[in-house]
Amino acid sequence: MAYRVLGWTVPPHPRLPRRLLFIFTLSLSCTYLCYSLLFCCHRIMPGPGLGETRCLLVRNVGGKKLLQKSHYCSLQAGEPREGPGRPAAPAAAAPTGLGGRTPPRPRQAEPRPEGGNRTGPPPKLGTKRLPRAIIVGVKKGGTRAVLEFIRVHPDVRAVGTEPHFFDRNYDRGLDWYRSLMPRTLESQITMEKTPSYFVTKEAPRRIFNMSRDTKLIVVVRNPVTRAISDYTQTLSKKPDIPTFEGLSFRNQSLGIVDTSWNAIRIGMYVVHLEIWLQYFPLSQIHFVSGERLITDPAGEMGRVQDFLGIKRIITDKHFYFNKTKGFPCLKKTESSSLPRCLGKSKGRTHVQIDPEVIEQLRDFYRPYNIKFYETVGQDFRWE
Ligand SMILES: *[C@@H]1O[C@H](CO)[C@@H](O)[C@H](O)[C@H]1NC(C)=O
Ligand SMILES: *[C@@H]1O[C@H](CO)[C@@H](O)[C@H](O)[C@H]1NC(C)=O
Ligand SMILES: *[C@@H]1O[C@H](CO)[C@@H](O)[C@H](O)[C@H]1NC(C)=O
Ligand SMILES: *[C@@H]1O[C@H](CO)[C@@H](O)[C@H](O)[C@H]1NC(C)=O
């Protein structure tokens, strides 16, 4: 047997007819060609579960056609794979690079731009992806403004309405959540905002479970003015609720604040933040000052863009200040070229609150605020 196998490779005997030699050579070439083709096709054929490995293999194969096919894959190459290989301990969560991505999903069905034509405008295709960044809070902090401002950026696409997935709709599953998202290109960041996430106990764990790389944005504001603003909004919908003072205290003369009232509870920022920090490193949470957002929107948005790892495109040129309203307005939005200020309901005048009550609430919040400044390493100057 061994002799016969070896025999195939020795030069043919001179007595053999030339035709036989020709056929023999031809069949050998054919066999080699077939093997080469099979081997090659195996590499480019999409196999389930091959993921990034497949793309790396493709990149090793030369040739223009193959390069074109691997174009999409090569965008992914070099990114760490998410999944069972990564450690699961929340405390070990490393600050991610600026290119944090949602977990990989099957890509076979995704429409995508063909590689090789870089001259034309990007096709209006794309994929619905889970958000890579979420504005998680806080109510009445200025979350709508941040969302409207950031979606001016061409590298950001955001849902306009609040999905409330991680608090009210979690049972509907991630596929439902993804279906709400706008289509994005690989380079664009999908975003949403739901301010109640920040005070939802389960939200940090649930978002971590979706993707530990999710970037979190929290818009915070003086908790006393936030509480009054919150109450004013509720009052406009339900005019017969008790007074602010009545709801704020269990016993006003003793100065016992009712921490079970949502309008009060939301402003105890550090209490909620502790839960988030059990899952996400501080470097993955960006705090926007609701006050500075009004006085210096371009500065605040500059920091948000840096945090998201996108170019500073939104600058002073995008804003003008409406003195009547007392709020900055956007000159241009994603969808229209009309100027856009904060909505009608935003910036409504607050109800008159007894200054004594405000003083009591300031005293109540002071220790929470100081702890919050210490935890995030930033002084918001709410005095
Ligand atoms: C590239 O895209 C542009 C715009 O979509 C199109 O007009 C052009 O024909 C394309 N060129 C090739 C080579 O596909
Ligand atoms: C985490 O998400 C997966 C789906 O991605 C789900 O099956 C699982 O139940 C979730 N676990 C928790 C603790 O939410
Ligand atoms: C508040 O506390 C004071 C002193 O203990 C008490 O006299 C008063 O009845 C309390 N008020 C209410 C509304 O509970
Ligand atoms: C400024 O705000 C006021 C009140 O909302 C509005 O009537 C006015 O048109 C705004 N002006 C500009 C230039 O946006």
Side-chain angles (χ1 to χ4, degrees), residues 176-218:
W176 174 84
Y177 186 45
R178 188 185 291 117
S179 74
L180 304 179
M181 299 300 151
R183 292 188 178 277
T184 53
L185 302 175
E186 186 70 26
S187 58
Q188 291 175 316
I189 299 175
T190 303
M191 283 186 75
E192 70 120 319
K193 78 116 176 165
T194 305
S196 50
Y197 291 163
F198 190 66
V199 296
T200 301
K201 249 190 15 234
E202 300 81 17
R205 177 175 49 78
R206 289 171 173 178
I207 293 176
F208 180 84
N209 188 38
M210 173 184 75
S211 168
R212 61 188 295 157
D213 294 334
T214 312
K215 294 187 179 190
L216 308 166
I217 294 174
V218 191

Side-chain angles (χ1 to χ4, degrees), residues 320 322-325 329 339 341:
Y320 70 93
N322 185 324
K323 288 207 183 86
T324 331
K325 252 178 136 34
C329 305
C341 301

Side-chain angles (χ1 to χ4, degrees), residues 239-259:
D240 41 357
I241 53 167
T243 61
F244 181 81
E245 293 82 346
L247 290 165
S248 293
F249 297 97
R250 288 217 186 99
N251 186 321
Q252 193 182 346
S253 51
L254 290 180
I256 301 171
V257 172
D258 188 352
T259 53

